[in-house]
């Protein structure tokens, strides 16, 4: 058996048709609720497995004979019935509230008989087909993705939501399912109990900080702050592009920047910043990406100051008091 097939087989054995809640360790006794993502009555509620429920199913002897690794993998789990009224293509929200973390220090050992209470909730946005066919890990990774998009759900189409989640996943995890591409499914399968290395090394500390805040029951604003710190982006790409087209392009870029920063212009010769005019149907996405790249070299304050003439070879180009100056800085923060 190839390594790729073996890895997929082990992952399938661990997660198929089962949702597991994992914060630092498995969260046993959590109330798990499945509901339509964009509003509607809950479709299913269940409590995740506890030591008592596992012992009731398998017996004391099996539980006591198991290693800490095996026991941790049995906790925090919930099997969803196959007849749930889920549409394969629709998006759903899975919410896990309360319960106790049985490996709060993430050392791979069963912490105690009762675990550490989790004061907050964990969320996961999941398609119907993933929820029933793959199983998912509801975790700080899925919480980060949820916090990244939740404020923008009314403005995002389902296709834009999927694109955003795929992009967000690439900042956090590697190719968990070894499919050759990193996408949101990889994040949903990145269960630290089975494959801690799937979380990108540079993000592990930030993910753990979010996990600790969830355990402590931190306020929504703090959770959102920690979630945004994990990603390289401040808002979903489609949102940033829409705001650009509505508030930045005509009032700043077309009116001022495009005088010089176009192909053959004086600004184009003097800097790496070249803007695209709106005769290009992709002007919003191209210019948004251009400014994102500039933020790789300048911070928001420095880039926002250039129309005022600060660090700008062309001097001041936008009159003081023009509202586009504040709008430009606010938009840069979305990037």
């Amino acid at each position: 058996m190839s390594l790729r097939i073996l890895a997929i087989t082990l992952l399938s054995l661990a997660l198929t048709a089962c949702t597991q809640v994992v914060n630092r360790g498995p969260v046993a006794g959590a109330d798990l609720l499945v509901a339509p993502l964009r509003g509607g009555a809950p479709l299913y509620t269940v409590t995740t497995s506890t030591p008592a429920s596992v012992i009731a199913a398998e017996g004391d002897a099996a539980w006591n004979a198991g290693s800490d690794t095996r026991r941790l993998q049995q906790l925090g789990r919930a099997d969803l019935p196959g007849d749930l009224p889920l549409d394969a293509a629709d998006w759903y929200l899975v919410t896990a509230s309360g319960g106790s973390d049985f490996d709060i220090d993430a050392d791979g050992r069963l912490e105690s008989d009762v675990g550490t209470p989790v004061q907050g909730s964990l969320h996961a946005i999941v398609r119907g087909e993933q929820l029933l066919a793959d199983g998912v890990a509801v975790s700080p990774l899925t919480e980060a993705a949820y916090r990244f998009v939740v404020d923008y759900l009314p403005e995002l189409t389902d296709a834009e939501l999927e694109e955003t989640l795929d992009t967000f996943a690439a900042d956090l995890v590697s190719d968990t399912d070894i499919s050759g591409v990193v996408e949101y499914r990889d994040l949903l399968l990145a269960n630290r109990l089975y494959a801690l290395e799937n979380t990108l090394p540079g993000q592990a500390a930030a993910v753990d900080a979010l996990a600790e805040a969830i355990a402590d029951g931190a306020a929504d604003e703090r959770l959102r702050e920690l979630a945004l710190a994990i990603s390289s982006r401040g808002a979903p790409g489609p949102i940033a592009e829409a705001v650009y087209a509505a508030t930045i392009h005509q009032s700043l870029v077309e009116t001022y920047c495009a005088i010089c920063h176009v192909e053959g212009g004086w600004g184009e010769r003097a800097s790496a910043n070249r803007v695209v005019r709106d005769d290009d149907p992709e002007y919003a996405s191209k210019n948004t990406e251009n400014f994102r790249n500039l933020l790789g070299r300048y911070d928001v304050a420095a880039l926002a100051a250039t129309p005022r003439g600060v660090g700008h070879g062309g001097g001041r180009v936008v009159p003081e008091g023009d509202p586009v100056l504040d709008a430009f800085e606010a938009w840069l923060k979305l990037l």
Side-chain angles (χ1 to χ4, degrees):
M1 180 181 292
S2 71
L3 289 177
R4 180 178 185 277
I5 294 174
L6 176 61
I8 293 175
T9 300
L10 291 174
L11 190 62
S12 298
L13 289 173
L15 289 177
T16 294
C18 174
T19 294
Q20 187 167 29
V21 181
V22 180
N23 193 38
R24 294 273 284 165
V27 183
D31 294 324
L32 195 76
L33 183 150
V34 180
L37 175 61
R38 302 183 188 276
L43 301 172
Y44 188 70
T45 58
V46 66
T47 301
T48 61
S49 58
T50 64
S53 67
V54 174
I55 290 171
E58 296 192 354
D60 284 301
W63 174 260
N64 292 329
S67 65
D68 275 355
T69 297
R70 183 175 186 275
R71 286 185 283 189
L72 289 171
Q73 291 174 353
Q74 291 175 293
L75 298 178
R77 297 168 70 93
D79 292 312
L80 303 181
D83 60 353
L84 274 181
L86 305 181
D87 187 296
D90 284 350
W91 291 98
Y92 298 89
L93 179 64
V94 180
T95 304
S97 303
S100 295
D101 193 323
F102 275 75
D103 187 17
I104 196 66
D105 57 3
D107 67 352
R109 298 181 180 180
L110 196 70
E111 179 186 303
S112 69
D113 291 336
V114 295
T116 298
V118 175
Q119 305 297 328
S121 298
L122 289 147
H123 302 84
I125 296 173
V126 193
R127 280 198 187 277
E129 61 183 357
Q130 295 167 308
L131 194 55
L132 288 178
D134 295 338
V136 300
V138 182
S139 72
L141 295 174
T142 62
E143 178 68 17
Y146 166 78
R147 294 288 170 183
F148 185 67
V149 302
V150 65
D151 292 338
Y152 305 104
L153 286 176
E155 289 82 30
L156 291 170
T157 66
D158 282 357
E160 290 171 338
L161 174 61
E162 183 169 30
E163 174 189 343
T164 295
L165 292 172
D166 284 343
T167 301
F168 187 83
D171 283 347
L172 274 74
V173 297
S174 59
D175 186 10
T176 306
D177 63 359
I178 323 177
S179 66
V181 61
V182 177
E183 54 194 351
Y184 185 55
R185 182 175 185 271
D186 293 301
L187 187 146
L188 290 169
L189 295 176
N191 188 329
R192 71 183 303 155
L193 295 180
Y194 302 98
L196 178 60
E197 67 276 6
N198 289 126
T199 301
L200 298 182
Q203 303 293 14
V207 172
D208 279 341
L210 178 58
E212 291 168 10
I214 293 166
D216 292 341
D220 285 350
E221 186 55 37
R222 176 58 176 161
L223 296 177
R224 184 177 186 277
E225 176 186 339
L226 290 169
L228 291 181
I230 291 173
S231 175
S232 65
R233 297 170 186 266
I239 297 296
E241 292 171 20
V243 173
Y244 171 83
T247 66
I248 304 300
H249 184 75
Q250 189 59 48
S251 56
L252 176 65
V253 173
E254 278 288 344
T255 302
Y256 299 106
C257 305
I259 295 173
C260 296
H261 289 276
V262 291
E263 185 174 0
W266 287 102
E268 189 267 343
R269 302 175 201 172
S271 77
N273 182 21
R274 179 190 297 182
V275 299
V276 177
R277 308 199 76 147
D278 51 24
D279 56 359
D280 184 326
E282 297 181 354
Y283 76 93
S285 60
K286 289 180 178 178
N287 284 333
T288 297
E289 189 61 25
N290 174 58
F291 281 105
R292 270 185 53 80
N293 291 336
L294 288 173
L295 286 174
R297 299 183 317 190
Y298 308 101
D299 61 24
V300 168
L303 193 54
T306 56
R308 292 184 165 96
V310 180
H312 184 223
R316 172 181 284 279
V317 293
V318 180
E320 193 60 46
D322 190 319
V324 75
L325 293 170
D326 290 336
F328 181 50
E329 182 169 5
W331 176 71
L332 289 173
K333 292 177 181 178
L334 293 179
L335 304 184

